[in-house]
Amino acid sequence: MNQKPTTSLIIPPELAEYYGRRIRLSVQQFPGMPIFVSQLFNELKQEETDMRVLSEQLRVDPGITVNLLRLANSARFGASREIKSVHEAVVRLGVRRTTEILLAFHVAGHFSHPLKGYDLSASELMKHSLWAALAAEKVCTEIPDAPSPEYAFTAALLHDIGKVILSDFVMEEQPAIVQLVQHEKYSFDEAEKRVLGWTHAETGSAILNHWNFPDLLIQVARYHHDPGQAPEEYRMLAGIVHVADFLAYCQGPGAGVDGFSYHFREAVLERLPLNKSVVERIAGETLEQVEAFNAALGL
Amino acid sequence: MARIIVGISEMAISESAGDVLVTHSLGSCLGFALYDSTMKIGGLLHSMLPLSSTDYPRARKNPAMFVDTGVTKLLEQMFKRGCSRENLVVKVAGGARVLDRQDLFRIGERNYTVFRKVLWKNNLLIAGEDVGGSVSRSVRLELGCGRFYVRTGSEEREL
């Protein structure tokens, strides 16, 4: 198995403190989500969201209305007659799918800039996150005693949000990080930790914490590269997002400079009875959903 | 003259000299280019998974998703347009692998193995390849001249 490289900092303590201060400040200043969307993220159990309330909220948001109608009318959701109203769209897609589209739409707003530190062009992080979210949802349907699929979708959608902040810092220290990854066999997150004192996973969990999001989302973001370290109650979900993240890197866009430089934690398979044919079937099924979402979100 | 983007699990063929066939984010997927140097016809395939036996119904709907059915389909369509085996130039890129050689995610290596088998059965040799490693690639095939370029990050090279 992987020999754990040292995690001691390779930069002077003053510089580490300087980076830490700037990263924490960026987290504090990170723009929030609209209140209604934050509530949706906090509820998590999306079936419990009232359909009428959801339609009302959607109607006042012209951006999402267009996308929602586009998705409801796409052939992939079995459209037979034209859907013209938001309420009809919610009925056609169901509360869960509608909520997911809404969440994805708002997350996309945060992920729209190119992230040079990770060599990601505009919207590539969003595409990667969507791939992971839809794959995670599928994984849940394949394993016994899985957490509910909407938890997996939401947690996976947000797992890499820390990259939005950390990208600029990675850019500043790129030569040192690349040196560790390419020549000293560090995984990318281990290299971030040694050079900046923070990983994108830690940064992401700090953002979600700042937003007062549920502990489950905070912990999964924090441990998606090392699910064995997650608190017991979230370990399975962190494992599912870990697998979905790998699948998304292998099969989808947004692998960037780091996508193939993470460790796969084999221990997750003790809880997730997955084999290669199941994983490959999930990949094929995910692609179709991804295309529908991309079209709806204009990605 | 057009830039034709080939999406994941898609293929495209062109006979127009000015066209460029492009596919992005290959990851563990394979980008397979065929070019008939006499007829000046080119085809590009972006397959994500090795074997159609994983999901036959999906393979019937979209043969390009799988390397075995995708390569066969692209070859068939090239032959249908009058290409001949002797003039076909085969190039391939992608099939990246993750850090740990964990069986579950050796999709890139399985893709490449199946690819070699299908080519072998069809009596074709690989003229250029850039596969494996831990990088995601984009490729483009220029019709007219048949040049095939592989891009990793900001570096591009001709195969």
Side-chain angles (χ1 to χ4, degrees):
Chain A
M1 262 311 282
N2 321 310
Q3 208 183 343
K4 185 86 183 157
T6 169
T7 51
S8 61
L9 284 163
I10 58 167
I11 51 170
E14 311 80 61
L15 187 57
E17 201 183 304
Y18 170 68
Y19 280 142
R21 224 175 22 242
R22 281 175 57 204
I23 291 168
R24 277 191 294 273
L25 186 65
S26 304
V27 168
Q28 296 298 319
Q29 294 174 340
F30 202 72
M33 289 274 179
I35 290 168
F36 169 62
V37 180
S38 289
Q39 279 167 355
L40 282 182
F41 272 110
N42 275 297
E43 276 169 23
L44 284 175
K45 260 285 182 208
Q46 290 144 13
E47 287 139 20
E48 288 160 16
T49 310
D50 188 293
M51 193 176 281
R52 202 184 310 272
V53 175
L54 193 59
S55 309
E56 282 306 313
Q57 290 290 345
L58 288 167
R59 224 198 309 270
V60 296
D61 193 334
I64 190 67
T65 304
V66 173
N67 292 311
L68 204 61
L69 291 179
R70 204 187 292 162
L71 184 75
N73 281 308
S74 86
R76 289 189 185 88
F77 283 93
S80 50
R81 64 182 178 83
E82 200 190 347
I83 302 280
K84 291 188 184 124
S85 76
V86 168
H87 186 71
E88 279 180 298
V90 177
V91 172
R92 158 68 56 80
L93 295 169
V95 170
R96 193 176 110 196
R97 268 283 178 257
T98 308
T99 312
E100 286 175 355
I101 286 283
L102 186 67
L103 298 181
F105 179 76
H106 284 280
V107 169
H110 287 279
F111 288 6
S112 59
H113 300 293
L115 301 176
K116 287 193 181 148
Y118 296 96
D119 197 20
L120 296 173
S121 58
S123 87
E124 268 192 312
L125 180 63
M126 184 60 208
K127 287 182 181 171
H128 167 71
S129 303
L130 206 47
W131 243 103
L134 291 161
E137 196 178 63
K138 287 255 177 278
V139 172
C140 288
T141 63
E142 294 288 341
I143 50 174
D145 306 320
S148 77
E150 56 258 57
Y151 286 18
F153 179 94
T154 311
L157 189 67
L158 293 169
H159 76 283
D160 266 348
I161 194 166
K163 285 186 176 177
V164 177
I165 284 181
L166 214 61
S167 173
D168 286 347
F169 297 88
V170 169
M171 196 65 197
E172 284 178 42
E173 291 287 353
Q174 209 172 37
I177 291 175
V178 168
Q179 165 71 22
L180 288 181
V181 172
Q182 290 186 351
H183 304 290
E184 297 183 39
K185 304 280 174 220
Y186 277 77
S187 68
F188 205 88
D189 52 328
E190 288 160 350
E192 287 172 338
K193 185 75 181 169
R194 279 207 79 188
V195 176
L196 299 168
W198 283 65
T199 65
H200 67 274
E202 290 167 334
T203 313
S205 71
I207 294 172
L208 300 176
N209 189 34
H210 175 63
W211 280 352
N212 286 320
F213 275 12
D215 199 35
L216 172 141
L217 300 179
I218 297 171
Q219 299 298 339
V220 171
R222 169 77 180 78
Y223 294 108
H224 71 274
H225 286 302
D226 203 356
Q229 301 299 313
E232 169 61 30
E233 68 261 49
Y234 308 132
R235 208 168 287 164
M236 189 176 205
L237 192 59
I240 290 169
V241 173
H242 184 67
V243 169
D245 192 23
F246 263 77
L247 202 54
Y249 279 133
C250 283
Q251 307 282 312
V257 73
D258 60 319
F260 286 90
S261 302
Y262 292 107
H263 288 302
F264 183 77
R265 309 291 181 185
E266 245 173 291
V268 302
L269 299 176
E270 289 163 15
R271 284 168 184 247
L272 310 175
L274 296 166
N275 58 42
K276 57 187 180 191
S277 71
V278 171
V279 164
E280 288 178 5
R281 186 164 44 71
I282 290 173
E285 289 168 4
T286 302
L287 178 69
E288 251 174 42
Q289 298 287 335
V290 164
E291 285 173 346
F293 267 73
N294 282 347
L297 296 170
L299 289 173
Chain B
M1 182 166 170
R3 191 178 162 85
I4 300 162
I5 308 282
V6 179
I8 303 170
S9 298
E10 287 178 9
M11 63 168 79
I13 294 179
S14 172
E15 302 182 19
S16 309
D19 281 358
V20 183
L21 303 178
V22 186
T23 195
H24 297 296
S25 309
L26 279 169
S28 64
C29 304
L30 272 193
F32 163 56
L34 270 178
Y35 186 73
D36 185 310
S37 48
T38 310
M39 303 276 292
K40 311 277 187 205
I41 299 176
L44 185 64
L45 167 75
H46 182 148
S47 287
M48 65 190 283
L49 297 166
L51 289 167
S52 53
S53 55
T54 308
D55 195 339
Y56 280 125
R58 213 167 287 276
R60 259 195 301 278
K61 224 166 84 185
N62 183 11
M65 180 176 280
F66 302 94
V67 173
D68 59 348
T69 43
V71 172
T72 308
K73 186 85 186 172
L74 184 60
L75 278 167
E76 262 173 35
Q77 294 197 357
M78 297 284 283
F79 291 142
K80 219 180 265 176
R81 290 178 186 230
C83 299
S84 61
R85 208 175 295 274
E86 306 76 62
N87 298 329
L88 281 180
V89 181
V90 176
K91 296 197 176 158
V92 64
R97 58 180 172 77
V98 294
L99 275 189
D100 310 287
R101 300 177 73 79
Q102 212 286 333
D103 200 41
L104 205 57
F105 288 102
R106 289 172 75 174
I107 302 172
E109 285 156 277
R110 290 199 286 278
N111 279 339
Y112 182 64
T113 307
V114 171
F115 176 74
R116 296 287 300 245
K117 266 189 203 163
V118 180
L119 278 198
W120 178 256
K121 270 191 203 160
N122 281 283
N123 243 334
L124 286 163
L125 294 174
I126 300 172
E129 65 175 30
D130 181 8
V131 293
S134 300
V135 287
S136 188
R137 302 168 173 88
S138 292
V139 299
R140 69 189 160 97
L141 174 67
E142 292 186 351
L143 277 292
C145 58
R147 286 195 172 140
F148 184 70
Y149 297 90
V150 181
R151 176 181 285 274
T152 315
S154 55
E155 282 168 39
E156 188 178 64
R157 68 186 189 99
E158 188 183 347
L159 263 195

